[in-house]
Amino acid sequence: MAHEITLPRPAADFHVHVRDGEMMKLVVPTIKQGGVSVAYIMPNLVPPLTTVDAVLAYKSRLEAVDDSITYIMTLYLSPAITPEVIHAARQAGITGVKCYPAGVTTNSEHGVASYAPFYPTFAAMEQEDMVLNLHGECPSSGHVHLLNAEEEFIPTLKDLHSRFPRLRIVLEHCTSAAAVRAVLECGPTVAATITAHHLFLTIDQWAGNSYNFCKPVAKFPSDRDALLEAATSGNPKFFFGSDSAPHPITAKEKAKGASAGVFTQTHAVGYLTEAFDKLGKLDKLVPFVCEYGRDFYKISEKETSWKVVMTKQESIVESQIGEGNSGVVPFKAGEKLSWTTTIVEE
Ligand code: DOR
Ligand code: ZN
């Protein structure tokens, strides 16, 4: 019989982009397909989600597409996010605030140029026990470039942690050995998400292939190995956040300025199972995808009526989802995975 793993409950993905409109309708159903029932939703829509009402309206649109998923909602850090907004957000059940340094990635042009003006906001978040989600990169300029942008951000992470030691901070999609070390050096209020694609990719696979291009970029083999080590270490500071980021084919195949983002939602747990299996660390899969993130966030969630069963049986990643040039090409499109994800309705 094929080797089989039934997750004790579906996975929780603590970093998800599902966009809005037609793209949202295409992508939201793939959350469940990939084995996930809890999705932590990013606010970098156009325009970004900077009011409580906009976040709640977005949540309703998501629920209209698939009501079986628990959507955990975030605000986009901008001058509009005052301490008063934080108190109202907490009342409204919003969990986190995502901070994008201005200009580092997709829809980050309304992001943050300097952190000090937000100290009162961070203090209110600390008081309300909300979570600060950091896109941990410094914008390229002078000596800062794609490959050291995350390492250059570490002093900012440490500074915020020392100013607000009780504020829960997640360093999102960490991609470097330096970031892993920094998270380990911080106290228990600081954790990090790790994506599925960064467990596979290094610089060679995105230079020349825009479908593997995302921010932060995948780095050196030694960095990828540090991420694999962290994800499979059994340390609860590291948990799953896919940063699955759909872009239409037209935006990926642009000769100049291809959009950053790798789409992994359809096989989220599949890619992870593959990576953990290769290292002989399948015993660490469930804590990484199902437990540590839920514990850090202290979430309450909907009951699900379905189970996720992983079978060691070959599956082929679809070449695209959606129609024509508005479709989305998943990570490892057309390639074999040695695990198949089955959603079993109970
Ligand atoms: O590659 C990325 N894509 N990184 C981000 O931070 C944003 C995301 C997106 O929204 O497409
Ligand atoms: Zn993201």
Side-chain angles (χ1 to χ4, degrees):
M1 214 186 87
H3 187 173
E4 208 174 87
I5 303 169
T6 302
L7 301 187
R9 48 188 167 164
D13 180 347
F14 281 95
H15 190 131
V16 171
H17 297 268
V18 282
R19 319 301 187 203
D20 211 341
E22 289 308 307
M23 184 62 99
M24 170 187 77
K25 289 182 194 150
L26 177 65
V27 170
V28 164
T30 69
I31 298 173
K32 176 173 173 182
Q33 193 186 334
V36 166
S37 68
V38 172
Y40 193 81
I41 301 292
M42 289 296 130
N44 61 333
L45 302 186
V46 184
L49 299 177
T50 57
T51 67
V52 170
D53 287 349
V55 173
L56 296 183
Y58 183 42
K59 188 178 188 194
S60 305
R61 295 198 291 282
L62 298 173
E63 283 172 339
V65 183
D66 184 349
D67 194 30
S68 77
I69 302 295
T70 298
Y71 301 100
I72 304 181
M73 304 307 290
T74 61
L75 279 160
Y76 185 110
L77 187 63
S78 75
I81 312 298
T82 58
E84 291 68 39
V85 172
I86 292 300
H87 299 306
R90 189 48 155 179
Q91 288 298 312
I94 294 171
T95 300
V97 177
K98 177 71 187 284
C99 170
Y100 290 96
V104 294
T105 189
T106 307
N107 304 336
S108 65
E109 44 288 347
H110 304 281
V112 168
S114 149
Y115 294 84
F118 294 101
Y119 291 166
T121 300
F122 297 154
M125 290 175 63
E126 187 175 43
Q127 191 192 339
E128 294 284 5
D129 199 22
M130 285 180 73
V131 175
L132 177 62
N133 303 99
L134 293 175
H135 182 116
E137 287 191 294
C138 291
S140 289
S141 115
H143 72 285
V144 181
H145 50 75
L146 287 183
L147 291 174
N148 69 2
E150 186 174 83
E151 188 157 1
E152 289 289 321
F153 183 81
I154 289 170
T156 304
L157 168 69
K158 292 202 164 166
D159 180 59
L160 292 175
H161 178 45
S162 69
R163 286 175 194 277
F164 305 99
R166 289 181 300 105
L167 175 62
R168 285 181 290 156
I169 296 177
V170 180
L171 181 64
E172 295 297 332
H173 40 53
C174 68
T175 59
S176 60
V180 167
R181 272 197 305 278
V183 169
L184 288 171
E185 284 159 11
C186 291
T189 49
V190 174
T193 50
I194 296 178
T195 75
H197 50 283
H198 286 113
L199 297 180
F200 293 89
L201 297 174
T202 63
I203 183 169
D204 290 47
Q205 282 93 46
W206 63 260
N209 180 348
S210 69
Y211 289 106
N212 288 338
F213 170 59
C214 62
K215 294 295 300 294
V217 298
K219 303 198 165 56
F220 298 107
S222 52
D223 294 300
R224 194 256 329 264
D225 293 349
L227 298 177
L228 281 166
E229 165 67 29
T232 62
S233 65
N235 187 323
K237 275 176 167 283
F238 299 97
F239 51 82
F240 180 47
S242 69
D243 195 18
S244 174
H247 290 281
I249 289 172
T250 40
K252 278 300 206 179
E253 297 206 346
K254 266 203 264 177
K256 255 179 143 179
S259 301
V262 176
F263 178 67
T264 50
Q265 209 74 61
T266 47
H267 292 271
V269 179
Y271 300 124
L272 293 171
T273 310
E274 184 105 357
F276 280 56
D277 188 16
K278 267 196 216 145
L279 291 179
K281 293 280 177 68
L282 279 174
D283 59 316
K284 298 293 195 298
L285 179 70
V286 166
F288 181 74
V289 299
C290 297
E291 290 168 10
Y292 299 151
R294 282 178 165 106
D295 293 347
F296 183 85
Y297 274 97
K298 305 185 262 192
I299 57 159
S300 56
E301 63 188 278
K302 295 175 187 163
E303 290 236 351
T304 43
S305 59
W306 43 280
K307 278 211 149 87
V308 180
V309 181
M310 305 306 298
T311 315
K312 190 146 192 187
Q313 208 172 358
E314 234 169 63
S315 58
I316 307 231
V317 178
E318 60 276 40
S319 56
Q320 76 175 70
I321 64 160
E323 298 296 318
N325 278 344
S326 50
V328 177
V329 174
F331 182 50
K332 291 183 179 288
E335 291 180 38
K336 280 183 196 152
L337 293 182
S338 36
W339 289 81
T340 299
T341 309
T342 311
I343 306 302
V344 180
E345 303 288 340
E346 294 185 313

